Amino acid sequence: MFGLANPTKFMRFSTLLLPYLVIITLGSLGFGLYTVFNAPEDVLQGPLSRILYVHAPSAYLAQAIYVFMALANFTGFIWRHPLADMAAKNAAPIGAVFALLTLITGMLWGKPAWGTWWVWDARLTTVLILFIMYLGYIAIWQVIEDQVKAARVATIVAAVGLINIPIIKFSVEWWNTLHQPASITTSGSAIHPTMLTALLIMFAAFTFLFVTLLFISVRTEITRRRARALEMRILQKNIAKTNSALKNSEAQ
Amino acid sequence: MKPLLALLRRDINLFFRSGGGAGQAIGFYLVVIILFPFGVGPDINLLARISIGVLWVVLLLAILLSAERIFSDDLEDGSLTLLLTAGPLPELVILVKLIAHWVSIALPLLLITPFLALMLNLPAGGLIPLIICMSIGSLGLCALATIGAAILVAIRRANQIIALLILPLYIPILIFGVSATTDMTYQIEKPYTSLLILLGITLISLIIAPFASAQALKANL
């Protein structure tokens, strides 16, 4: 992990890895969708229950990415690992999109299943709050121009968020509960095996999707920074040239 | 201990004498509470039902909006850098500034709460629970607002961001503040459970806030 702190090494490593990642992601997504449409429908909800295969993996990723982001920030904060900060920065928009996807699929599911687009239920509210926290985190990176300073402030925001998410989750649950409790627990699963297989494949596919997207956006960020550095160098050269030309003309 | 007490006295004095500090927050609290009956209608029973929630939400916003002042004045005249680099631990300095902010912003708000509660037709026997819960909760609110204020020092030009960052963190205090007040007002069985959780969240916030704020300020020095 620490070898990859060097952007050049990371670029070389990711150039090799990225094609395989893309293939694995597309393959597992395709296979996942195939199993989803072959999995039996829910007795009560019919084809509606297929929303689950997008809804649940997005919800899992929305939460997992926040933890990943905070851990990446810690790594950057403690070991001054520049790539970790970039990973955290670029994971946030992806996480926000997954949180939004969870909300939208949940609302689409809620209208026919519960008869309303939105209820102030504990889980819905928690994801909504998570989405807002993502927005706040992204905003920090946007408004602070100095990236080193932005990384430090972002770490604090992520850390405070990470401590508070369980508290928020607990208090919102105390406040109101309507959503069904988690169906998959460590002691077993309440979902039928055929549906569970499809669901697990979708979980894996979404995780690969996140890793691929993260790699691509970190690579873009590195390229962008290099382009800016080059631009600055050219500018400096031009300024130096004009300065020396001015001096020469003054001397004459 | 002595320098910290001196700092506490200085901050409270500055807040009250520099004008606008507590006054602004009180004005905001008063005006927004008065707006509610215009928004939902003058029905006394409806107002009684929503009064606890409305008072809490507006208190929360009033504290959040005045949070910027915790560091901004000291930042402008340069004394913030001196306070953080010389003398006691920065975390302790921040804790003192937080308490000073509570004394000069939250306490005046708590003092006018009884009058506003009367206007919103707060249920009988609800005033004392409300004041108890609010005085505990507002300390937690001030603590979290301090983190926002410290981050704002690094940003300066984007004041609205503080709402986006801090309001999600306010939700637990709001939930347990309101439920503790309601439980104690209506004398349900075990009326103090929510109050204890509210106390717990406030204490956690008081622990997190100085450390997080100190790091945020250090990033900017």
Side-chain angles (χ1 to χ4, degrees):
Chain A
M1 191 177 83
F2 287 93
L4 292 178
N6 182 339
T8 317
K9 270 187 192 162
F10 172 78
M11 286 302 261
R12 212 180 303 142
F13 168 74
S14 60
T15 316
L16 284 177
L17 198 65
L18 201 56
Y20 297 104
L21 265 178
V22 172
I23 291 168
I24 293 175
T25 307
L26 289 179
S28 56
L29 261 181
F31 182 58
L33 285 177
Y34 173 76
T35 21
V36 162
F37 283 98
N38 275 319
E41 286 176 358
D42 188 272
V43 184
L44 293 174
Q45 300 188 24
L48 198 63
S49 65
R50 296 207 207 282
I51 295 179
L52 168 78
Y53 301 107
V54 179
H55 181 70
S58 319
Y60 136 77
L61 268 186
Q63 295 169 47
I65 291 175
Y66 200 95
V67 177
F68 167 82
M69 196 179 84
L71 292 180
N73 260 150
F74 284 141
T75 315
F77 192 74
I78 297 167
W79 289 289
R80 295 285 184 269
H81 189 304
L83 214 69
D85 285 334
M86 271 189 238
K89 179 188 175 184
N90 288 292
I94 306 175
V97 168
F98 278 119
L100 190 62
L101 200 62
T102 314
L103 289 174
I104 291 172
T105 51
M107 286 170 93
L108 289 176
W109 201 358
K111 180 64 183 164
W114 293 336
T116 170
W117 294 108
W118 184 264
V119 283
W120 287 95
D121 149 72
R123 285 222 196 162
L124 279 77
T125 317
T126 314
V127 177
L128 181 65
I129 296 165
L130 186 66
F131 177 62
I132 295 172
M133 289 172 84
Y134 270 122
L135 293 187
Y137 181 87
I138 295 168
I140 285 290
W141 282 101
Q142 301 271 335
V143 294
I144 305 182
E145 265 167 33
D146 177 1
Q147 294 291 294
V148 178
K149 198 163 112 186
R152 296 198 65 173
V153 177
T155 309
I156 298 151
V157 173
V160 173
L162 199 65
I163 299 170
N164 272 283
I165 282 175
I167 303 176
I168 294 175
K169 202 170 154 56
F170 164 73
S171 40
V172 171
E173 259 161 31
W174 176 285
W175 175 63
N176 194 0
T177 302
L178 176 72
H179 196 292
Q180 60 167 354
S183 301
I184 308 171
T185 55
T186 43
S187 57
S189 160
I191 303 179
H192 192 269
T194 47
M195 289 166 86
L196 185 63
T197 326
L199 190 60
L200 288 181
I201 294 169
M202 287 305 275
F203 269 92
F206 268 60
T207 312
F208 281 124
L209 180 64
F210 162 61
V211 176
T212 312
L213 290 175
L214 183 66
F215 264 63
I216 293 172
S217 56
V218 170
R219 281 172 62 88
T220 315
E221 169 118 15
I222 293 175
T223 318
R224 191 166 48 218
R225 284 191 187 182
R226 283 182 178 171
R228 193 178 297 158
L230 273 179
E231 236 170 66
M232 295 307 277
R233 212 176 296 161
I234 293 169
L235 265 178
Q236 271 173 350
K237 253 186 208 163
N238 283 348
I239 291 170
K241 234 187 251 170
T242 4
N243 278 349
S244 62
L246 276 175
K247 255 182 208 161
N248 282 342
S249 63
E250 267 170 28
Q252 281 168 4
Chain B
M1 205 57 208
K2 217 174 167 189
L4 291 178
L5 283 177
L7 179 64
L8 184 68
R9 206 172 311 130
R10 162 192 179 269
D11 270 10
I12 293 171
N13 276 338
L14 276 179
F15 261 119
F16 282 114
R17 288 182 193 164
S18 63
Q24 266 181 30
I26 289 178
F28 176 85
Y29 191 50
L30 191 75
V31 168
V32 177
I33 294 275
I34 289 172
L35 279 181
F36 263 90
F38 293 112
V40 300
D43 179 6
I44 290 273
N45 294 324
L46 178 67
L47 284 178
R49 219 176 94 71
I50 63 170
S51 57
I52 294 176
V54 167
L55 286 163
W56 266 98
V57 170
V58 181
L59 174 83
L60 181 155
L61 290 175
I63 289 177
L64 183 75
L65 290 177
S66 56
E68 195 200 346
R69 286 185 58 113
I70 302 178
F71 297 117
S72 64
D73 288 354
D74 283 354
L75 180 74
E76 272 165 27
D77 63 13
S79 48
L80 186 64
T81 319
L82 287 178
L83 284 173
L84 290 176
T85 47
L89 276 175
E91 282 82 1
L92 284 178
V93 170
I94 290 165
L95 189 65
V96 168
K97 291 187 85 65
L98 186 168
I99 292 168
H101 185 250
W102 182 77
V103 171
S104 38
I105 297 288
L107 269 191
L109 292 180
L110 288 173
L111 284 180
I112 64 159
T113 299
F115 302 101
L116 294 173
L118 283 179
M119 291 162 80
L120 286 182
N121 194 27
L122 188 82
L127 190 59
I128 291 167
L130 183 73
I131 297 295
I132 293 173
C133 297
M134 273 189 167
S135 43
I136 294 170
S138 58
L139 194 56
L141 296 175
C142 283
L144 293 173
T146 310
I147 304 177
I151 289 172
L152 217 56
V153 165
I155 303 172
R156 270 178 231 177
R157 62 198 167 96
N159 284 5
Q160 287 86 353
I161 220 178
I162 193 175
L164 203 57
L165 288 174
I166 298 304
L167 281 183
L169 307 180
Y170 271 2
I171 291 168
I173 296 182
L174 179 62
I175 289 175
F176 285 105
V178 171
S179 90
T181 316
T182 327
D183 289 358
M184 284 159 74
T185 306
Y186 295 108
Q187 292 289 323
I188 66 155
E189 214 177 313
K190 291 188 188 164
Y192 300 114
T193 318
S194 297
L195 183 69
L196 291 177
I197 300 174
L198 176 69
L199 201 58
I201 294 173
T202 299
L203 289 175
I204 293 175
S205 312
L206 275 177
I207 293 168
I208 299 172
F211 290 99
S213 315
Q215 287 300 331
L217 290 174
K218 272 182 203 163
N220 201 49
L221 289 182

